[in-house]
Every structure is written in structure tokens, then in C-alpha cells.
Amino acid sequence: MTSPAGPPPTGGGDGERQRLKLLAVTACPTGIAHTYMAAEKLAQAAESRGIEMKVETQGSIGAENVLEDNDVKHADGIIVAADKDVDLSRFAGKRVLTVGVAEGIRHPEQLIERVLSAPVHAEGGAPTAPATGGGKERSLGYKALMNGVSYMIPFVVVGGLLIAISLSLGGHADPSGGLVIPKDSFWMDVNNIGVIGFTLMVPILSGYIAYAIGDRPALVPGMIGGWIANTGELYDSKAGAGFIGAIVTGFLAGYLVLWIKKVKVPKFAQPIMPIIVIPIVATTALGLFFIYVIGKPISWVFEHLTDWLSGMTGTSAILLGAILGLMIAFDMGGPVNKTAFLFGAGLIATGNQTVMGMCAAAIPVMPLGQGLATLIRKRLYTEQERETGLASLFMGCFGISEGAIPFAAARPAQVIPANMLGGAVAGAIAGVAGVEDAVPHGGPIVAVLGAVSGVPMFFVAVAIGSVVTALTTVALVDLGERKRRGEAGFGAGAAGLEPVPAGVPSGGGSSGGGGGAVVDQATVRAPVTATVAVADGAAVAEPSGAGDTSVEVLSGYLTDRTVKVSLEAGDKEAAIREMAELLARTGKVADLDELVATALRREAQGTTGLGEEIAIPHAKTDAVTEPVVGFARSAQGVEWDSLDGTKARLVFMIAVPEAAAGDEHLRILALLSRKLMDAGFRERLLAASDEAALLGVLREVG
């Protein structure tokens, strides 16, 4: 057993203990393999030193081997190897070391040494992002932003779609009041429900940004601050600050709470600090600060932009349309957007409907363009983003520009400029064509309902502007991802709308650790299968595998038809296509190109190169009709962006239909990743002379 470094252990217990007791939590936001690999590496390192360790895994399948209160009570330290936020409140009073999941894979021995001198986690501390890690870690600010966006998306989608449905089925054009839904109608009730969703969208964004930074005490000030930011009447502005204001209040609330937490208070006051004192102080301070300090400039901007636009009514229609389009697209509901919209709406009553025509053409460009971008380059977007893109397309048809807010909030540097360029193009085309709009609303819906004159050019303006936005977005996002991959040294993808980020690195060596209770010699030396089903062995051949190609591995998903001795591809993309063609031999691949595209999109989210010359690309897609697994061996190796720098020589590919994308997909991945930690197993795969011999080795997987 290693001697403790630094201060003595903090764990409890009765009398002297012969073995040090450590706990660990491993977590990865994009998959299961890295989670289990880190768990297994930590378990092995602990076992080799005579240290008792229990590892909780938080993979895609959920939390397994969960640490209980009694485990924590008797622990001498806790290692958190994670690339997503982990709730540390249960570890108060214990030494906690937080690192990236890759560190758990690469340097488990060092982590065991370091945890014994790690700082003691204070009660009420926030969920802690990894302090160090392999590869390039996302910043706390980025993670907080993505956390807010992921919680905001359902409100955008639900609110926007309900408003769109109520407008399309229950609304009609009214020159004096825009698109009107009868007040006492059923569709007005539907519309009101949607409006509530949209109203909550901005506070939710702000609140969960704050929560990711300052934990629960920051949630209330974040949400109330977001509500204030979105309610211009509170600071004498005709327009709220919108989602940009919500981002500001979210970060202010989060960091304000962190600062207040550092204030030393008497022990008797400590229990009420996180539930009473901190929320009240932070909410009051943030609210007043926004109303009296930030709100005034917003109101000033609104008033002066309106005056400036009023002085431009006699200028070139192209220039005015481009400027209005830029403003409409900039903040999608904020003061700049509202200035342009209300300026156009106010001129309708004077008989000038051309300015509103320019605005109406620009309004749908952002959601339509962003939705179109998710269709043009699917691999740049997560599954959740693609689903949001479809909803965004629908909202764009009804002039709901807020449908693009999730994309703008997640990637402001790429999306906002693209939105503005497309909006300017649409506004300019509508201006030069003399398009008119008789109602204060935008999007194709106003043309369908007869409120627009010059309908053909209106649609031309919308279409061209949307395409410009989509193509510019794709180019900028792709450029950003290429740059990030180059800086980080491993494959990374577009940022996900989930509460956790994409681009998780992986490293070499092992996997497992999710199934047992306390890790000892037996659980480390044998494959861990307590939490996964054992594959059907009825069709398994003799151990040697020689001359027998009837071997079926992993419940028959991997057979002689999906094994290849020599992988010919020289790069990752070609290798994935070759593996997909291998899977197609089974007749279970309905769309080869879509299977390849889905696997590449998964690679964009984070490399599946696990290190130790292993890669496990996988895809969840209806391009396959049944689960299927393939294996191929590369003599020269394929560059797979593995964290340990090794080229992939052992390549497995897993493809499952969406209906089987839950436990079955994770079961296969867990079985493979756990078995591949065995160096002898890898050596036997590399040494096998032909397909029959490979199958004989592969039957060990189960």
C-alpha cells in the first residue's frame, strides 16, 4: 500500500484500518466507453496498491454502482474524473480531486497520490468542473452557457410551435392589428400557452447559466434577473434585452453568488446562507443593478436607434432594407430587433408599408437559415440540434425569429454574423423590389394570408436571405471546428443543446468499473459483467476457431460476414466507409451513405479512438434494420485522434437502429470496451492469422 501523501486521510471508521478506502466518480457526456475506461484504470491502479476503491460511473446508460452515504462516510478521498458537472454536495467534508475523464485513463496512479492531499470540499460548494484534464478542456463559461441553452430549447420549441399552430389555424390578417386570433376562441387559449413558454424561455436561459456556475443558490437570482432583462417596462424601455440580456444576467448571477460564498460568516449563519441569505442578497443586488445601471443604456440605445432610423426614411431603399435586416437579425427580440420592428410597424399607420415589408422579409431568415444549416451539414450538429433545426424551420414559416435563439446562444460568434448577413440581404431585396406589408408581422404566413403585396419578390427575398444565412453559418461553424480540432489535437464537434459540451477526448487502456460494488483483485482481473447481459453463446465455435466460420459474437451481431483481416483505408473517413461496407454484407444496412454520415457525426462530437490502438466508431440510425457489429484489423494503423497518439489497428464498428439505441447499443459498447482493456486479448487479435482465428479470439467477448 502506498503511504499517504500530504495530510492524513479524512475518512471515518472504527479503529485502525489496514486498507485505505477511496471513492471515484467517472463521467463522460458523449458516451459510455470513456466513462468505463477511466473507472477500470482507477480500479486497477487502486488494486495494485492494496487500496480499496468503489467507482460510480455516470455514462449514457445512467449512474451505476452509485456511491452511498455509508461509502462516503468511510472514504479517505474522492476522485472525480469527469467532463461534465458532477454534484459534489454529498462529498462535503471529504478530500475531493476533480479532473477530466482523460486524466483518469492516462494517470490513475498520480490521481490516487494527489487525492490524499486534495482540498476538503466545503458544504454548499458548487458542482465542480474538471480542474485539469487531458486535451483541451472547455471553459466554465462555455459549459455554463451550454447548460442554459440546453434547458432553454424545450421552451423555445414548445412555445414557438404552439404560437405557430394557433396563428396558422386560428389567425387572420387584420390591417389594424396584424395577425389576429379571436379573443374567445380555442386557438387564443393555445396561443396563450405558447406565449407562456416563450416568456419563460429567457429566464430559464439565465437561471441555468447561473446554476452551472454558482449551483442552487444562483438559480433564483439568475431566473429573476433574466425576467427583469426581458421586461423593458422595468427600466423604461419599449423592448427588453432579450436573450443577450439573459446571458449577461446569468453570468452576473452565477459569479455574484460565487463571490458571496467566499464571505466568512459565523457558524450559526452557515446553514441558512445557501437557502435564504445568498439568494435574497444576490437577487436584490442583481435586479437593482440591471434596472438602474444596465437598463438605462438599453433604453438609450432604443430611443436613439429609433431617431436615427427616422432620419433615414428618404434614403436608398436598398441601404435602408439592409440596415433594417441587420437590426432584425442581431438580437431576435432585444432592443435592436425591436427598434427596427416597431419602426416599421409604426409607419404602417402613416400609409408607408414598404418599411414593414423590409422587416417582414428579414424576420424569418434567422430560423429558416439555421434550420436549413442543420440539413445541409448534419455532421456539424448534434441530434438535439437537428431536432431543434426542424422546429426552427417550422417557426420561421410563421415569422417567429426566436426559433434561432438556441443556435445564436450556443455559437454567437458564428451564428449572429451569419444571421445578420442573411437578414441584410433579405431586407435589401425586399426594399429594392418595393415589397409592402400591411400588418406588423413577418414570415411567409403574412404572404399566405394576403397581407403582403409583391408576393413573388417577398419569397425571393426570404429564400435568398435564408440560403445566405445557412451557407455562412455552415462555413463559419466548420471553420471554427477545424480550428478547435487543430488546437486541441483531437477530433471535436459542434457544441451540443444539451446541459453538457461536445468534443470529449479519449485515451488508451481500459474500460469498465461500472458493475461491482467495492473493487478488489477478483473484479479487476475478470471482465465486469454484473450490469450487462451475457451474449448468447449457443452459436459459439470451439476456442481455437480454426476452420469454423459459424462463430457468432455479441448475440450474433458480429459474425464471419462482418470480420475483415486487413483494413485497406488510410484515413478515418475512408475507414468508416469501409467498415460500413463490411456491415452491409449482412443485408441489414438500408442506407449505406446515411450510416457513414451518422458515424462521422458521432466522430465530430468526440473521437471514438480509445487509445491502445483501438477505435470503436458507432452509429444510432435507422439506416440499419437490426443491430450489427463489425471488426477489421489495420496493418499500418489509421490516425483516429486518440489521446495517447496511437493509430487505430483494431477497429470495431457498431450500428443499431434508433429503436435499439438505448440499452442494446450501450450493452454492446460496454462489453467491447471492457474486454479490450485486456492486453492479452488485444495481442491475440493482432496475432490471429485469418478470419477464422480472429473469430476464435472474438468469441471471448461474449
Side-chain angles (χ1 to χ4, degrees):
M1 182 180 78
T2 56
S3 59
T10 60
D14 299 324
E16 292 186 320
R17 289 197 308 248
Q18 295 183 345
R19 302 185 73 187
L20 196 68
K21 291 186 178 181
L22 298 179
L23 304 178
V25 179
T26 61
C28 166
T30 60
I32 196 170
H34 307 143
T35 301
Y36 284 166
M37 291 178 72
E40 191 70 23
K41 280 290 189 180
L42 286 167
Q44 286 181 324
E47 187 274 337
S48 68
R49 286 160 174 73
I51 297 173
E52 188 175 335
M53 176 178 281
K54 179 177 179 180
V55 185
E56 174 183 311
T57 55
Q58 296 184 8
S60 298
I61 201 170
E64 298 176 276
N65 201 29
V66 176
L67 303 179
E68 299 175 353
D69 291 344
N70 194 53
D71 298 323
V72 176
K73 177 181 178 182
H74 295 94
D76 296 300
I78 297 98
I79 299 169
V80 178
D83 282 313
K84 67 178 185 179
D85 288 337
V86 173
D87 184 6
L88 303 185
S89 59
R90 53 184 167 156
F91 304 140
K94 296 292 181 178
R95 298 190 182 279
V96 178
L97 175 65
T98 58
V99 297
V101 70
E103 283 293 285
I105 297 171
R106 298 181 67 191
H107 306 299
E109 299 87 357
Q110 295 179 16
L111 299 185
I112 289 174
E113 295 289 343
R114 289 168 55 192
V115 72
L116 300 177
S117 58
V120 175
H121 182 66
E123 187 172 357
T128 304
T132 63
K136 181 172 178 167
E137 291 291 341
R138 293 289 197 175
S139 66
L140 174 60
Y142 175 85
K143 292 181 179 181
L145 178 61
M146 295 309 301
N147 192 57
V149 170
S150 66
Y151 280 101
M152 175 187 68
I153 285 175
F155 291 86
V156 176
V157 173
V158 171
L161 293 184
L162 287 178
I163 292 173
I165 291 170
S166 63
L167 285 172
S168 62
L169 299 179
H172 62 272
D174 186 338
S176 63
L179 292 177
V180 176
I181 302 173
K183 290 185 178 180
D184 297 328
S185 70
F186 167 79
W187 294 113
M188 177 55 76
D189 294 331
V190 175
N191 181 270
N192 289 337
I193 295 172
V195 169
I196 291 173
F198 251 27
T199 304
L200 290 172
M201 167 185 71
V202 173
I204 289 293
L205 172 63
S206 177
Y208 280 97
I209 289 174
Y211 175 78
I213 297 171
D215 201 22
R216 294 177 186 175
L219 187 61
V220 171
M223 286 194 173
I224 293 179
W227 189 285
I228 293 172
N230 202 39
T231 309
E233 294 89 344
L234 294 174
Y235 42 90
D236 299 324
S237 175
K238 294 181 181 179
F243 84 95
I244 294 178
I247 292 174
V248 172
T249 56
F251 280 106
L252 286 176
Y255 285 109
L256 177 60
V257 167
L258 284 183
W259 179 77
I260 296 175
K261 284 181 177 180
K262 295 179 181 179
V263 177
K264 299 296 183 182
V265 297
K267 182 171 289 187
F268 73 85
Q270 291 178 359
I272 65 171
M273 288 294 290
I275 60 174
I276 298 177
V277 177
I278 293 177
I280 290 177
V281 172
T283 300
T284 304
L286 177 62
L288 293 176
F289 177 75
F290 200 96
I291 291 173
Y292 289 106
V293 180
I294 299 178
K296 295 301 181 181
I298 293 174
S299 179
W300 181 90
V301 167
F302 190 101
E303 293 173 0
H304 284 74
L305 279 176
T306 303
D307 294 340
W308 178 64
L309 286 175
S310 298
M312 293 189 64
T313 52
T315 61
S316 165
I318 296 179
L319 177 60
L320 181 59
I323 292 173
L324 289 171
L326 288 170
M327 295 175 65
I328 288 288
F330 174 65
D331 53 2
M332 291 162 285
V336 177
N337 170 282
K338 280 294 190 294
T339 297
F341 177 80
L342 295 178
F343 176 69
L347 291 178
I348 293 176
T350 68
N352 182 348
Q353 299 178 358
T354 57
V355 174
M356 192 62 217
M358 303 172 195
C359 296
I363 284 172
V365 163
M366 298 80 75
L368 291 177
Q370 295 306 321
L372 185 59
T374 65
L375 298 178
I376 293 175
R377 293 291 295 278
K378 293 182 179 181
R379 72 174 183 82
L380 294 176
Y381 296 90
T382 64
E383 183 176 350
Q384 184 185 39
E385 286 177 312
R386 294 194 297 274
E387 292 173 356
T388 305
L390 294 177
S392 180
L393 284 170
F394 190 73
M395 283 185 265
C397 292
F398 294 89
I400 303 174
S401 61
E402 287 86 349
I405 286 180
F407 300 97
R411 301 184 182 91
Q414 290 85 24
V415 172
I416 292 178
N419 284 348
M420 293 175 68
L421 181 59
V425 169
I429 293 174
V432 74
V435 172
E436 295 183 351
D437 181 13
V439 299
H441 199 80
I445 184 66
V446 294
V448 172
L449 295 177
V452 169
S453 63
V455 172
M457 287 307 298
F458 172 79
F459 279 108
V460 168
V462 171
I464 294 177
S466 300
V467 170
V468 168
T469 288
L471 295 179
T472 306
T473 299
V474 166
L476 293 176
V477 171
D478 193 32
L479 181 64
E481 292 306 318
R482 289 176 185 273
K483 181 179 179 181
R484 191 167 73 83
R485 284 199 297 268
E487 290 176 350
F490 57 86
L497 295 171
E498 312 158 338
V500 297
V504 179
S506 59
S510 70
S511 93
V518 177
V519 176
D520 56 21
Q521 293 183 4
T523 58
V524 172
R525 291 174 181 169
V528 183
T529 57
T531 61
V532 294
V534 178
D536 183 8
V540 175
E542 292 301 315
S544 67
D548 188 347
T549 59
S550 64
V551 178
E552 292 185 348
V553 181
L554 293 168
S555 303
Y557 301 145
L558 190 154
T559 68
D560 60 305
R561 288 176 293 176
T562 58
V563 170
K564 193 171 185 178
V565 174
S566 179
L567 188 67
E568 299 172 1
D571 60 74
K572 184 195 294 190
E573 186 168 345
I576 286 176
R577 176 164 289 278
E578 188 174 341
M579 292 298 298
E581 292 170 350
L582 180 63
L583 299 186
R585 293 180 183 178
T586 63
K588 298 176 182 178
V589 177
D591 188 336
L592 181 65
D593 290 338
E594 178 58 26
L595 173 57
V596 173
T598 304
L600 290 174
R601 287 196 295 270
R602 172 58 186 86
E603 291 296 325
Q605 295 176 0
T607 179
T608 57
L610 306 184
E612 301 287 359
E613 301 182 315
I614 303 164
I616 311 181
H618 46 278
K620 297 178 287 185
T621 172
D622 288 330
V624 296
T625 57
E626 296 179 42
V628 59
V629 181
F631 168 73
R633 190 175 63 192
S634 172
Q636 71 277 14
V638 178
E639 180 57 56
W640 219 280
D641 300 315
S642 297
L643 189 62
D644 65 357
T646 60
K647 292 184 177 181
R649 296 182 63 196
L650 305 175
V651 182
F652 290 85
M653 186 169 185
I654 304 169
V656 297
E658 289 288 353
D663 291 346
E664 191 63 7
H665 168 248
L666 299 176
R667 183 182 77 86
I668 297 169
L669 190 55
L671 280 170
L672 280 177
S673 59
R674 284 166 168 167
K675 184 58 182 175
L676 286 166
M677 55 76 58
D678 183 350
F681 177 73
R682 299 195 302 271
E683 291 173 0
R684 291 191 292 276
L685 283 177
L686 290 170
S689 58
D690 54 25
E691 292 180 1
L694 280 174
L695 282 166
V697 178
L698 289 169
R699 69 179 290 264
E700 299 176 26
V701 176

